[in-house]
Amino acid sequence: SGDWSSDVCSSDLVGTGVVPFRSQILDAFEKGCDTEVYLYHGNRYEDSILYDDELKALAEKHANFHYMPCISRPKGEWAGFQGYVQNKLKEVVNNSDEKDALFYICGVNAMIEDVCEHLKSVGYEDEHIHYEKYDWTRVSTQRNFEVFKFFL
């Protein structure tokens, strides 16, 4: 729900990782959230950003919502952050004195592990770090067609 107990909330996401946080963020601001919320949303390409217009509008409407899309492989002119989302988050964390932030992270295993390792190395405790990992792996079956297995 939107009842976050920290003064600062950060979300580090990759692609579709934004989906679970979108409803949480919308609910929080519907209920009058006064917490500083930072959303770092990573995608490969500009044209694959889910909910980009909606999140930009939310940031314009609420001064305490900070939306930062990060593109790792821009196709054209991209004025925002270029690179992996975890590198942007590391940059922000390294330049912050905030140690009460809560981090909600959703993405592929390697990104999650990288972010968690970095957060712990700069002093964040486990109770400040919440995540959901996902990776899609192809698995062959006896019938010789492909299925995808979802790993958590």
Side-chain angles (χ1 to χ4, degrees):
S1 96
D3 186 22
W4 290 319
S5 59
S6 177
D7 290 335
V8 180
C9 216
S10 228
S11 293
D12 185 20
L13 313 168
V14 174
T16 56
V18 74
V19 174
F21 295 115
R22 176 184 167 267
S23 61
Q24 190 178 28
I25 290 167
L26 292 173
D27 182 59
F29 284 102
E30 242 178 58
K31 293 177 178 176
C33 175
D34 58 4
T35 298
E36 294 292 320
V37 177
Y38 294 82
L39 175 62
Y40 302 91
H41 183 195
N43 286 273
R44 288 183 181 164
Y45 310 108
E46 311 89 295
D47 59 358
S48 63
I49 304 173
L50 295 177
Y51 306 112
D52 189 48
D53 291 337
E54 180 181 33
L55 294 168
K56 284 177 182 173
L58 192 64
E60 287 180 22
K61 184 176 178 181
H62 300 280
N64 56 324
F65 178 60
H66 313 277
Y67 171 59
M68 283 149 271
C70 305
I71 302 300
S72 62
R73 299 177 190 163
K75 292 180 180 178
E77 298 291 323
W78 175 253
F81 179 79
Q82 292 184 31
Y84 292 117
V85 67
Q86 63 266 36
N87 294 338
K88 179 62 177 173
L89 184 66
K90 287 178 188 178
E91 175 188 311
V92 171
V93 167
N94 289 344
N95 294 310
S96 173
D97 295 329
E98 176 63 50
K99 292 298 178 203
D100 290 329
L102 296 174
F103 294 88
Y104 294 88
I105 312 158
C106 185
V108 296
N109 292 336
M111 186 273 291
I112 298 288
E113 290 168 9
D114 187 28
V115 170
C116 289
E117 182 180 306
H118 184 74
L119 291 172
K120 289 175 185 178
S121 77
V122 296
Y124 288 97
E125 301 292 330
D126 286 340
E127 60 266 11
H128 291 264
I129 304 168
H130 309 277
Y131 59 85
E132 182 168 336
K133 297 179 185 181
Y134 65 84
D135 274 343
W136 291 94
T137 303
R138 287 186 161 178
V139 179
S140 290
T141 67
Q142 290 179 334
R143 295 188 180 172
N144 209 16
F145 59 87
E146 295 177 333
V147 297
F148 290 90
K149 188 169 183 182
F150 193 62
F151 287 96
L152 292 179

